[in-house]
Amino acid sequence: PEPERTQFYLLAVKAGLVDWPQYGGWAFRSDLRHLVVSRLETLYAEKPEPFTAFCLLFPALERGDVARAGEWLDRLLEQDDFLAQKAVEWSVRAAPRPDWFVEYYLDKGQPGRAEELAGHAAATGEQFGYELKARLLERQERFTEAEACYKEIEKRHDYVGALVNFYVKHRNRQDDAGTTFQQRLDELIARCFPDGLRQVRQDDFTARPRAGLMFTEENGRILRAGLGKGTVIVALDGHAVDNLIQYYVVRELDSENPRMELIVWTGTEYKTVSLSIPKRRFGLDLQTYAP
């Protein structure tokens, strides 16, 4: 019952600020979040404390009211820089639309504010935070700076796909040193494929695989395709892939095409599987295969 319900919500959100790994994201998951809005708005009207605004921002996001969430963020930026940065950080980590604040300020004609908050997003160290900042820099045609963000993703998260995708999209443009991104892409492919990209067919595989990548989970999408946990991918789109990094490179070379052709080892035989997947994402974990 009230007022204990709202007080409990406020304390739980504070717990998330103190210890994100243990309690973070609670403001997005709690069934209380919409029940306490009316009481929180009354409290804010009586005493406009920034923490109350912080707690009101997340229910607004959950119900899809970006304009209202943006109003609460505006107030935080005026009242409390720490909580404003935490709102960005929590959005990057758990919001339904983690880029909402960038679009909000771009729509308001405030690109400087959008860039400032994108910088806060990247400062979280989260992969999506870097991607968010990089995409904003791309829109501003600041390609060398965007490239640096994508390189940070590879360095920090061991994920090369975002950098490959960037090079493919802008292959004919140049960095500040006059090198085309096609050249950068060629250098990256040579680094990830020391023996070069290898064109293969199913008949090229006979013995049990010695390299590839493996599904560690399964879902309805791959089960319908005749795949499953333990299935090993040895080639994608006609190119042999020996590990997860090589798979990411080949996947992003044709990222706009949902069609994928896999050569897989089922545990008893090799077979070729063709399927169409939005954004070429299976929605589950893969790992480099070790026999």
Side-chain angles (χ1 to χ4, degrees), residues 124-135:
T124 66
E126 299 286 337
Q127 178 176 323
F128 183 81
Y130 283 109
E131 290 183 3
L132 184 59
K133 182 179 179 181
R135 288 203 295 266

Side-chain angles (χ1 to χ4, degrees), residues 261-277:
E261 184 172 283
L262 308 174
I263 300 175
V264 302
W265 169 256
T266 65
T268 57
E269 63 177 351
Y270 286 100
K271 68 177 183 178
T272 299
V273 178
S274 296
L275 63 169
S276 182
I277 304 177

Side-chain angles (χ1 to χ4, degrees), residues 15-221:
L17 288 171
V18 173
D19 186 352
W20 172 269
Q22 183 71 22
Y23 303 108
W26 191 90
F28 293 96
R29 297 192 301 268
S30 168
D31 291 335
L32 291 179
R33 63 184 181 270
H34 298 306
L35 300 176
V36 300
V37 168
S38 178
R39 175 67 178 161
L40 287 174
E41 289 179 339
T42 299
L43 290 175
Y44 188 84
E46 294 172 352
K47 188 177 181 180
E49 291 186 341
F51 182 67
T52 309
F54 181 77
C55 291
L56 280 162
L57 186 152
F58 304 109
L61 282 180
E62 280 293 307
R63 61 178 185 266
D65 192 348
V66 171
R68 186 61 170 157
E71 291 173 5
W72 292 121
L73 183 54
D74 286 335
R75 298 181 192 189
L76 290 176
L77 288 164
E78 294 170 1
Q79 296 178 293
D80 193 309
D81 286 340
F82 171 78
L83 286 177
Q85 291 188 32
K86 283 296 177 182
V88 169
E89 179 182 317
W90 284 24
S91 294
V92 168
R93 289 176 168 169
R97 277 187 52 196
D99 61 347
W100 71 272
F101 50 90
V102 168
E103 298 301 326
Y104 172 75
Y105 285 107
L106 289 177
D107 289 344
K108 287 185 67 175
Q110 297 182 31
R113 179 69 83 184
E115 184 174 346
E116 174 193 352
L117 297 182
H120 292 329
T124 66
E126 299 286 337
Q127 178 176 323
F128 183 81
Y130 283 109
E131 290 183 3
L132 184 59
K133 182 179 179 181
R135 288 203 295 266
L136 180 59
L137 292 168
E138 284 184 73
R139 290 167 73 163
Q140 298 170 341
E141 299 193 353
R142 294 159 61 183
F143 296 111
T144 298
E145 293 172 77
E147 179 191 24
C149 287
Y150 289 121
K151 285 183 174 180
E152 279 296 309
I153 292 173
E154 181 184 8
K155 177 182 176 181
R156 291 171 178 265
H157 297 279
D158 198 27
Y159 175 64
V160 74
L163 183 59
V164 174
N165 185 276
F166 169 74
Y167 286 149
V168 169
K169 284 191 298 183
H170 304 293
R171 62 173 76 235
N172 295 321
R173 294 186 179 272
Q174 298 178 346
D175 62 16
D176 291 347
T179 303
T180 67
F181 289 125
Q182 178 62 58
Q183 290 173 267
R184 295 289 186 224
L185 177 61
D186 293 340
E187 293 168 0
L188 179 58
I189 291 174
R191 171 161 59 87
C192 296
F193 291 84
D195 298 324
L197 280 169
R198 291 185 293 123
Q199 293 277 351
V200 292
R201 299 176 301 172
Q202 181 179 322
D203 293 344
D204 295 326
F205 298 92
T206 53
R208 295 177 65 89
R210 300 184 62 184
L213 56 146
M214 182 176 67
F215 289 103
T216 60
E217 304 173 300
E218 58 190 27
N219 57 21
R221 174 175 287 151

Side-chain angles (χ1 to χ4, degrees), residues 159 161 164 193 197-202 205 211-213 215 227 232-255 257-265 270-277 279-282 286:
Y159 175 64
V164 174
F193 291 84
L197 280 169
R198 291 185 293 123
Q199 293 277 351
V200 292
R201 299 176 301 172
Q202 181 179 322
F205 298 92
L213 56 146
F215 289 103
L227 312 175
V232 179
I233 300 172
V234 296
L236 169 61
D237 296 340
H239 298 289
V241 287
D242 291 343
N243 52 54
L244 198 54
I245 291 174
Q246 291 185 355
Y247 171 79
Y248 289 145
V249 171
V250 175
R251 185 186 71 183
E252 297 304 319
L253 289 176
D254 196 15
S255 62
N257 180 9
R259 296 290 301 173
M260 303 174 74
E261 184 172 283
L262 308 174
I263 300 175
V264 302
W265 169 256
Y270 286 100
K271 68 177 183 178
T272 299
V273 178
S274 296
L275 63 169
S276 182
I277 304 177
K279 298 183 179 180
R280 307 190 126 206
R281 301 294 195 275
F282 291 106
L286 295 160

